[in-house]
Amino acid sequence: MTAQIIDGKAFAAEIRAKVAENVSTLKSKYAVTPGLAVVIVGEDPASTIYVNSKIKQTVEVGMKSFHFALPDTISEADLVAKVKELNVDNRVNGILVQLPLPKHIKEAAVIEAIAPEKDVDGFHVINSGLLATGGKGMVPCTPLGCLLMLQDTLGDMSGKKAVVIGRSNIVGKPMAQLLLQENCTVTLAHSRTKDLASEVKQADIVVAAVGVSELVKGDWVKDGATVIDVGMNRIAAPERGEGKVRLTGDVAFDEVIEKAAYITPVPGGVGPMTIACLLRNTVTAACRQASIEEIEL
């Protein structure tokens, strides 16, 4: 068996096309133009590239883009004040503060300052609580992207056994909650899990989000499983030249592709879905803030 590749890049393009269609409808029918504000602190090269991609795609789907590049010397109080300013700006439906932040700023304090209804990253404690209790909050972008790919690939997941590796608030925990809502039997595994390989071996669905390069081996995976690789690890690649790196996932792709039925590649799998779902969340936020219920996301 050789797994079928789940093409996150193509799927993300479909989501962006749907978002553009929804934005056009909101503009023409309701005079609403969704707006996304992105705040970046400092000049981290990776963050800058990622933010520029977000801005570009926001504009491409017809939304308003607001970009705030702040110095890494900014105080926590001043950053929180900026977030609160955006909370009351009616042009802005979604607020994203790019992480990581400088060490002198508490990320939790900044996230909690974002109005929950504008928290398109889905990190606010209120949105986390709504997700955990089956409420109507904003869902973190990466887990949402994984869920959409799973729904498209598998359809009904009721009764399937799922193992999520990694318990972060950004991916692991919300991913487990989303799979529970799909009526999966979910195991949330982590660094202290005993015999992780045995846990994975039982799973129909594996979501690897632990940040360890090629952790999940071929002999860990059940024949016919669906494997979603959230990992994005940069490792040295001297064969490409001095100082060069290559990207790897948390899954040993060349091994697992021979066991799984479906698998996401790295790159080109989960990564493109994250920004697409950020745009989707911004439309969701705009609709909710304007009490518009008939837009099909």
Side-chain angles (χ1 to χ4, degrees), residues 90-165:
N90 291 330
R91 301 172 302 163
V92 174
N93 302 106
I95 301 169
L96 182 149
V97 178
Q98 183 66 35
L99 303 179
L101 293 171
K103 292 181 179 179
H104 68 279
I105 298 176
K106 298 185 190 70
E107 290 184 356
V110 176
I111 291 168
E112 294 310 304
I114 300 172
E117 65 274 14
K118 293 190 177 185
D119 169 38
V120 286
D121 256 339
F123 295 163
H124 194 285
V125 66
I126 288 179
N127 285 319
S128 297
L130 287 168
L131 178 59
T133 55
K136 192 177 180 182
M138 301 303 301
V139 179
C141 303
T142 299
L144 178 58
C146 294
L147 177 69
L148 293 175
M149 287 192 291
L150 285 167
Q151 289 174 330
D152 183 70
T153 301
L154 299 176
D156 182 14
M157 289 178 272
S158 182
K160 292 187 181 297
K161 181 170 177 56
V163 171
V164 178
I165 310 172

Side-chain angles (χ1 to χ4, degrees), residues 240-254:
R240 298 184 179 182
E242 186 178 350
K244 297 295 185 179
V245 298
R246 64 184 178 91
L247 292 178
T248 67
D250 289 352
V251 173
F253 184 85
D254 291 342

Side-chain angles (χ1 to χ4, degrees), residues 20-226:
E21 180 184 321
N22 287 337
V23 169
S24 178
T25 299
L26 287 171
K27 287 179 176 179
S28 61
K29 189 171 182 180
Y30 301 99
V32 170
T33 302
L36 174 64
V38 178
V39 179
I40 184 170
V41 179
E43 298 180 353
D44 176 75
S47 292
T48 299
I49 291 169
Y50 197 39
V51 163
N52 288 341
S53 181
K54 291 173 181 176
I55 294 167
K56 179 175 180 287
Q57 292 185 39
T58 300
V59 173
E60 285 176 348
V61 298
M63 294 196 291
K64 294 178 182 175
S65 176
F66 305 95
H67 177 213
F68 302 92
L70 306 176
D72 58 11
T73 54
I74 191 171
S75 69
E76 181 180 302
D78 285 345
L79 179 55
V80 166
K82 183 62 183 179
V83 168
K84 290 183 176 179
E85 177 186 315
L86 295 172
N87 284 343
V88 296
D89 188 336
N90 291 330
R91 301 172 302 163
V92 174
N93 302 106
I95 301 169
L96 182 149
V97 178
Q98 183 66 35
L99 303 179
L101 293 171
K103 292 181 179 179
H104 68 279
I105 298 176
K106 298 185 190 70
E107 290 184 356
V110 176
I111 291 168
E112 294 310 304
I114 300 172
E117 65 274 14
K118 293 190 177 185
D119 169 38
V120 286
D121 256 339
F123 295 163
H124 194 285
V125 66
I126 288 179
N127 285 319
S128 297
L130 287 168
L131 178 59
T133 55
K136 192 177 180 182
M138 301 303 301
V139 179
C141 303
T142 299
L144 178 58
C146 294
L147 177 69
L148 293 175
M149 287 192 291
L150 285 167
Q151 289 174 330
D152 183 70
T153 301
L154 299 176
D156 182 14
M157 289 178 272
S158 182
K160 292 187 181 297
K161 181 170 177 56
V163 171
V164 178
I165 310 172
R167 54 181 168 178
S168 73
N169 293 331
I170 294 173
V171 180
K173 290 176 184 176
M175 189 75 244
Q177 295 292 344
L178 290 170
L179 289 167
L180 282 171
Q181 291 179 12
E182 295 294 311
N183 298 312
C184 293
T185 299
V186 182
T187 297
L188 184 56
H190 46 77
S191 60
R192 300 294 180 88
T193 299
K194 292 182 179 180
D195 198 357
L196 178 58
S198 178
E199 293 289 344
V200 174
K201 187 75 173 178
Q202 301 174 54
D204 304 302
I205 298 167
V206 180
V207 181
V210 71
V212 177
S213 179
E214 300 185 339
L215 172 70
V216 178
K217 308 301 183 186
D219 59 4
W220 289 23
V221 175
K222 176 181 177 180
D223 287 341
T226 298

